[in-house]
């Protein structure tokens, strides 16, 4: 055992950050000395929020937790994890349906970098059906996303709607 701080990477798109993500990050912050919310810079996707906006949101939401850091990365996750000297990659598992994809990623990441361990954490059951994709869809179709995302995200979503449809209140 060394006294090296235990650093975990919690990677994802976070477009937008949901209360399920927040729940996992808060739980992770209790397990690790530092947890890095690592936002993927994905040039292929049409994002709802830019990476800079997503970073600003996450920094504000976790301003009260000194063990939480927010960063962005591109390229292979394992290369980023290696550069950061991470002990673990944290991923949330909501349901069995997440399992197959997550297992493939975990085993591929292990093959690429066997010193970093993927750790799965379950969010509170009240968030087990919440995903960024559904939040985006529900919001785009006029549904209520209160309680599914942090209030800051809700406010930014509303602002983005006003920005995209001027004159609408
Ligand atoms: O929020 P998501 O879309 O579930 O996150 C997926 C993410 C960012 C963890 C995954 O796409 C990823 O790690 N991308 C970086 C590129 C990479 O390392 N690909 C190989 C994964 S086995």
């Amino acid at each position: 055992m060394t006294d090296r701080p235990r650093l975990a990477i919690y990677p994802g798109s976070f477009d937008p950050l949901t209360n399920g993500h927040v729940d996992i990050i808060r739980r992770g912050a209790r397990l690790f000395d530092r947890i890095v919310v690592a936002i993927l810079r994905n040039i292929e996707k049409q994002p709802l929020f830019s990476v800079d906006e997503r970073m600003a949101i996450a920094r504000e939401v976790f301003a009260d937790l000194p063990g939480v850091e927010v960063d962005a990365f591109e390229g292979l996750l394992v290369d980023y994890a290696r550069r950061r000297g991470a002990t673990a990659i944290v991923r949330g598992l909501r349901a069995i349906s997440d399992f197959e994809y997550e297992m493939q990623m975990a085993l591929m990441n292990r093959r690429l970098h066997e010193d970093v361990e993927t750790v799965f954490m379950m969010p509170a059951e009240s968030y087990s059906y919440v995903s960024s994709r559904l939040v985006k869809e529900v919001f785009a179709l006029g549904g209520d996303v209160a309680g599914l995302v942090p209030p800051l995200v809700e406010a930014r979503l509303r602002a983005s709607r006003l920005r995209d449809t001027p004159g609408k209140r």
Side-chain angles (χ1 to χ4, degrees), residues 11-13 40 73 75-77 91 101 105 108-109:
S13 308
L40 175 67
F73 77 103
L76 278 180
L77 172 62
R91 291 288 290 172
Y101 170 62
M105 277 209 300
M108 180 63 81
N109 284 333

Side-chain angles (χ1 to χ4, degrees), residues 2 11-12 24 26 31-32 37 51 70 74 88 93-94 101 104 127-128 132 135-136 157 167:
T2 67
I24 295 284
R26 290 190 176 276
L31 288 183
F32 297 96
V37 180
V51 169
V70 179
E74 51 201 337
L93 264 191
R94 289 165 299 193
Y101 170 62
Q104 284 177 353
Y127 301 128
S128 60
S132 297
V135 163
K136 263 189 283 205
L157 282 169

